[in-house]
């Protein structure tokens, strides 16, 4: 069990890269592999021994509490912080931390609300406590870091720099969106102000001589912030059910919710997720896709690696590959 048992989950962003999926549903509440992204994260946190979480909400804030309640359904304590004006990732952390009674020497986890990862939270917390770092970041290695800012570390795992996106990144390690903050580091984020933890807080901590450590883990990791990566994340979690205990039972490489009507001549597979009330008529094939609630797929349709909006209708003979359909 992780010796660090409190956490903040950042769920208040607008999720613009996922528009129009995020017009009425905040990104963390979008369902992949049968459960909202936030639920996959909460269950992972609980499994590592985290018992108290504050959700830092802002955009479409009202939808979280009706679903997660006080957390007892998940075996933990969940509370909700709210920002009238989005305060950015750093401002959100400072605001939400006021709901947690942290001891002077206590540390807490911060999770970006759009990352799914199998990394070892306990090992990350052990590195943090052993090194006495101000902050310990989860880092992942990517083949091509050009699309990200990179975070080079030394042989002792100390973070050397935070670098913006560049054409020739000097390291393959990138910020994976899960941090442990000591209470002292947390107190250095200004309250009530718009602050970016990535662009302002981390560089400022380094510049003032404080230690930031990087915990590199080669496990599964995905930022589901784009339509393509969201569909891929759902497929991955279904293909490998060990990745999340929040994924409902997988049967024939598929998660099907209640009252799905699948014609005997149609086939569904390769990590597809069918929400409740979906109807699929004759001779259709669905692979690697998310089909929203009550969507109706007519006959002779092919759907691959796509997202079909709830309540929408795909007409007979359609071929959809890598598409967001029905918005
Ligand atoms: P894009 O607009 O598509 O970039 O998505 P986003 O709004 O989610 O931004 P980003 O992916 O950079 O955010 C990382 C995490 O921080 C996500 O889980 C967001 O929900 C969260 N987040 C971003 N900005 C804020 C904010 O101002 N307040 C709160 N509470 N959370 C935020």
């Amino acid at each position: 069990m992780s010796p660090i048992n409190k956490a903040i989950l950042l769920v208040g962003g607008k999720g613009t890269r996922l528009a129009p999926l995020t017009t009425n549903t905040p990104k963390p509440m979008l369902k992949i592999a049968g459960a909202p992204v936030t639920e996959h994260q909460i269950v992972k946190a609980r499994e590592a021994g985290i018992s108290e979480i504050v959700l830092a909400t802002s955009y479409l804030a009202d939808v979280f509490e009706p679903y997660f309640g006080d957390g007892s359904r998940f075996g933990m304590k969940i509370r909700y912080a709210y920002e009238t004006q989005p305060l950015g990732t750093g401002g959100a952390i400072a605001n939400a931390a006021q709901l947690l009674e942290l001891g002077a020497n206590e540390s807490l986890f911060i999770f970006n609300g759009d990352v799914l990862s199998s990394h070892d939270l306990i090992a990350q917390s052990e590195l943090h406590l052993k090194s006495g770092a101000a902050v310990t970041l989860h880092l992942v290695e990517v083949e091509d870091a050009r699309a990200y800012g990179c975070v080079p570390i030394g042989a002792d795992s100390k973070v050397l720099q935070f670098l913006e996106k560049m054409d020739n990144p000097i390291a393959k390690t990138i910020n994976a969106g899960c941090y442990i903050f000591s209470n002292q580091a947390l107190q250095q984020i200004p309250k009530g102000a718009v602050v970016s933890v990535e662009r302002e807080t981390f560089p400022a901590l380094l510049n003032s001589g404080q230690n930031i450590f990087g915990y590199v883990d080669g496990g599964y990791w995905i930022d589901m912030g784009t339509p393509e990566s969201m569909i891929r994340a759902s497929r991955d979690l279904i293909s490998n059910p060990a990745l999340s205990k929040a994924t409902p039972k997988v049967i024939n490489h598929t998660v099907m919710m209640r009252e799905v009507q699948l014609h005997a001549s149609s086939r569904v597979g390769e990590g597809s997720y069918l929400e409740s009330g979906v109807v699929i008529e004759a001779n259709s094939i669905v692979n690697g896709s998310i089909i929203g609630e009550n969507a109706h797929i007519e006959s002779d349709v092919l759907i691959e690696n796509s997202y079909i909006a709830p309540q929408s209708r795909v007409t007979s003979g359609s071929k959809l590959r890598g598409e967001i359909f029905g918005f």
Side-chain angles (χ1 to χ4, degrees), residues 266 280-285 296-304 313-321 323 325:
S266 286
I280 301 185
E281 293 186 21
N283 300 316
S284 288
I285 298 175
H296 191 119
I297 316 297
E298 294 184 356
S299 58
D300 302 299
V301 165
L302 172 70
I303 300 176
E304 280 179 352
R313 191 172 188 102
V314 181
T315 53
S316 196
S318 303
K319 302 226 176 325
L320 303 174
R321 291 190 176 91
E323 287 196 36
F325 175 90

Side-chain angles (χ1 to χ4, degrees), residues 179-229:
Y179 324 119
I180 302 174
F181 266 70
S182 71
N183 195 356
Q184 277 185 340
L186 187 71
Q187 297 309 325
Q188 293 170 55
I189 307 175
K191 290 192 181 67
V194 177
V195 180
S196 160
V197 79
E198 299 88 349
R199 287 192 300 279
E200 296 169 71
T201 309
F202 293 151
L205 287 168
L206 272 193
N207 286 338
S208 63
Q210 298 174 69
N211 283 334
I212 300 188
F213 274 72
Y215 169 70
V216 183
D217 186 302
Y220 179 78
W221 178 83
I222 194 163
D223 167 351
M224 49 67 64
T226 64
E228 193 262 332
S229 66

